[in-house]
Amino acid sequence: MQENTIKITGFHAHIYFDAPTREAAARIREGLSAFDVRLGRWHEKPIGPHPKSMYQVAFSPEQFSKVVPWLMLNREGLDILVHPETGDDVKDHTDHSLWLGEKLELNIEFLRQVGTT
């Protein structure tokens, strides 16, 4: 077996919401504040590759085993993308990602364009 040389430097979780589910997203955000995470800004409309309103949660590899199970049990029906940070945004958001809830269609072309500029 070939040794894997890809290094994961961190993780992001993207919590997707819309107007009717914003309060649920706020409750999840409040719960996440109990962990060693960095909570990103609220984005009230689609941004970058993301097809819906969302906020990002950044956390270290050491926090993965705490944050992701908590999200699994407390996502309140919201869709959540979890992906590593390896330096390859396209693969991180596609091949290396996991979804809680529905897998939403991301604008991967946006990531390709950003990666080439």
Side-chain angles (χ1 to χ4, degrees), residues 6 83-96 111:
I6 297 174
H83 68 81
E85 292 182 274
T86 68
D88 186 334
D89 284 342
V90 172
K91 283 189 177 181
D92 289 350
H93 285 78
T94 56
D95 298 345
H96 302 154
L111 293 175

Side-chain angles (χ1 to χ4, degrees), residues 14 16-18 43-54 79 81 93 99 102-108:
H14 299 275
Y16 295 100
F17 64 92
D18 53 22
H43 295 280
E44 301 291 339
K45 59 183 181 178
I47 184 170
H50 304 286
K52 290 179 70 173
S53 302
M54 65 90 193
D79 302 315
L81 166 64
H93 285 78
W99 285 87
E102 182 182 341
K103 181 178 181 179
L104 304 178
E105 187 169 338
L106 301 177
N107 180 357
I108 300 305

Side-chain angles (χ1 to χ4, degrees), residues 1-113:
M1 183 172 171
Q2 184 178 11
E3 183 179 337
N4 187 351
T5 58
I6 297 174
K7 179 169 175 55
I8 295 174
T9 59
F11 287 93
H12 289 167
H14 299 275
I15 316 301
Y16 295 100
F17 64 92
D18 53 22
T21 60
R22 194 178 194 288
E23 284 186 27
R27 286 190 298 272
I28 294 167
R29 186 179 180 92
E30 184 176 325
L32 286 166
S33 68
F35 298 94
D36 185 12
V37 298
R38 290 180 319 280
L39 296 168
R41 294 181 309 141
W42 290 87
H43 295 280
E44 301 291 339
K45 59 183 181 178
I47 184 170
H50 304 286
K52 290 179 70 173
S53 302
M54 65 90 193
Y55 61 84
Q56 175 181 285
V57 182
F59 51 98
S60 70
E62 294 76 27
Q63 289 295 307
F64 183 93
S65 65
K66 296 176 179 107
V67 173
V68 174
W70 186 88
L71 286 171
M72 292 170 135
L73 299 176
N74 295 282
R75 66 183 186 85
E76 296 199 36
L78 298 184
D79 302 315
I80 300 174
L81 166 64
V82 179
H83 68 81
E85 292 182 274
T86 68
D88 186 334
D89 284 342
V90 172
K91 283 189 177 181
D92 289 350
H93 285 78
T94 56
D95 298 345
H96 302 154
S97 67
L98 66 89
W99 285 87
L100 306 176
E102 182 182 341
K103 181 178 181 179
L104 304 178
E105 187 169 338
L106 301 177
N107 180 357
I108 300 305
E109 190 55 38
F110 174 86
L111 293 175
R112 287 190 182 102
Q113 290 175 359

